[in-house]
């Protein structure tokens, strides 16, 4: 199992969450990434995510995304990629077995019927849900205080894997930050590939530092035997 975070997409030009010049610059996290913020100012939040959705047209998968897609070609169902990212760079690189635990920018979520339709346009002004017709669409992004998607499936994958690899994660956001301990306790070898050691690097069997665009292709080449 491979867990990816903001660091893998940063090299494609996707702005990251917790850096000084990061994604939330100019915005209080509570204003744009919580259900309470959305309730206070729906227009601000929709405008914020509309801009993020449009920005996907200006970024491309990098060698790390492409290497993971190549690994899937070789391993098939023996590989699962779980990403904390809401972009579509894994899919554009060719990966098909991807779980977006924090949602996807290219989906909307209907607060009326619960559907999660594919969505590539702006959510302002409030368009109707293509399933039920209600004007109750919001970004399909898991905000602080909400439960990530597919936790049961992810938990089974973590506890059942032989190799757990974390790429470009801060090691500070739970539940994802706890997966290395679960994998290790289940007997998996654990590897961190990160620009610098994460907050949870001490829990990994092995830590390699450097840009994901170099480390991931090198690791995949090593794993596949050159």
């Amino acid at each position: 199992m491979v867990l990816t975070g903001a660091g893998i997409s940063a090299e494609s030009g996707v702005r990251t969450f917790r850096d000084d010049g990061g994604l939330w610059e100019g915005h209080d996290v509570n204003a744009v990434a919580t259900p309470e913020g959305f309730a206070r100012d729906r227009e601000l939040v929709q405008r914020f995510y509309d801009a993020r959705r449009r920005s996907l047209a200006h970024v491309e998968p990098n060698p790390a995304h492409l290497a993971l897609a190549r690994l899937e070609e070789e391993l098939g169902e023996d590989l699962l990629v779980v990403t904390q990212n809401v972009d579509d760079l894994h899919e554009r690189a060719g990966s098909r077995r991807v779980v977006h635990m924090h949602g996807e920018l290219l989906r909307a979520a209907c607060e009326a019927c619960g559907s999660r339709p594919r969505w590539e346009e702006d959510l302002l002004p409030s368009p109707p849900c293509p399933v039920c017709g209600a004007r109750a669409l919001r970004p399909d992004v898991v905000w602080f205080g909400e439960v990530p998607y597919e936790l049961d499936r992810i938990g089974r994958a973590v506890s059942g894997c032989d190799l757990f690899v974390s790429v470009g994660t801060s090691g500070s956001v739970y539940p994802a930050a706890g997966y290395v301990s679960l994998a290790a306790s289940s007997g998996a070898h654990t590897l961190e590939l990160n620009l610098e050691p994460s907050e949870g690097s001490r829990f990994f069997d092995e830590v390699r530092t450097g840009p994901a665009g170099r480390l991931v292709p090198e690791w995949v080449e090593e794993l596949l035997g050159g």
Side-chain angles (χ1 to χ4, degrees):
M1 176 181 154
V2 177
L3 173 71
T4 66
I8 194 171
S9 292
E11 291 176 50
S12 291
V14 177
R15 297 176 70 186
T16 57
F17 173 40
R18 292 178 181 274
D19 293 346
D20 291 339
L23 181 65
W24 312 101
E25 184 179 8
H27 293 279
D28 186 322
V29 169
N30 291 317
V32 295
T34 64
E36 295 78 14
F38 188 55
R40 281 193 302 270
D41 194 337
R42 295 175 71 95
E43 183 174 335
L44 169 67
V45 175
Q46 298 283 38
R47 193 166 59 244
F48 180 78
Y49 288 95
D50 283 349
R52 293 185 67 191
R53 191 179 303 105
R54 290 194 298 269
S55 73
L56 292 181
H58 306 291
V59 296
E60 297 291 338
N62 63 55
H65 297 103
L66 296 170
L68 291 178
R70 178 192 170 206
L71 186 61
E72 184 183 289
E73 287 181 1
E74 296 292 331
L75 298 183
E77 294 187 358
D78 287 335
L79 172 68
L80 181 66
V81 173
V82 174
T83 185
Q84 300 172 82
N85 301 332
V86 294
D87 60 62
D88 64 338
L89 294 179
H90 281 301
E91 287 85 353
R92 279 199 267 159
S95 293
R96 294 292 174 262
R97 289 175 49 78
V98 182
V99 176
H100 284 267
M101 64 183 299
H102 291 160
E104 302 178 58
L105 280 174
L106 293 179
R107 289 190 183 276
C110 181
E111 295 181 300
C113 71
S115 64
R116 298 173 58 206
R118 175 86 176 177
W119 199 270
E120 299 183 15
E121 306 300 324
D122 287 355
L123 285 170
L124 273 179
S126 303
C129 171
V131 177
C132 73
R135 295 184 181 275
L137 295 176
R138 54 159 275 184
D140 184 30
V141 174
V142 176
W143 291 323
F144 292 99
E146 296 182 324
V147 178
Y149 290 126
E150 299 200 53
L151 290 183
D152 288 344
R153 180 185 180 190
I154 296 169
R156 290 193 299 271
V158 174
S159 60
C161 70
D162 298 314
L163 174 61
F164 176 84
V165 184
S166 176
V167 181
T169 68
S170 66
S172 60
V173 179
Y174 284 83
Y179 287 152
V180 59
S181 297
L182 175 59
S185 66
S186 301
H189 181 76
T190 57
L191 168 65
E192 176 175 84
L193 306 176
N194 213 4
L195 194 58
E196 56 189 30
S198 72
E199 292 183 23
S201 61
R202 66 187 183 279
F203 298 115
F204 287 87
D205 295 318
E206 183 182 358
V207 176
R208 302 181 188 181
T209 56
R214 174 174 61 82
L215 292 182
V216 177
E218 288 178 352
W219 167 69
V220 168
E221 193 74 15
E222 174 187 311
L223 191 67
L224 296 178

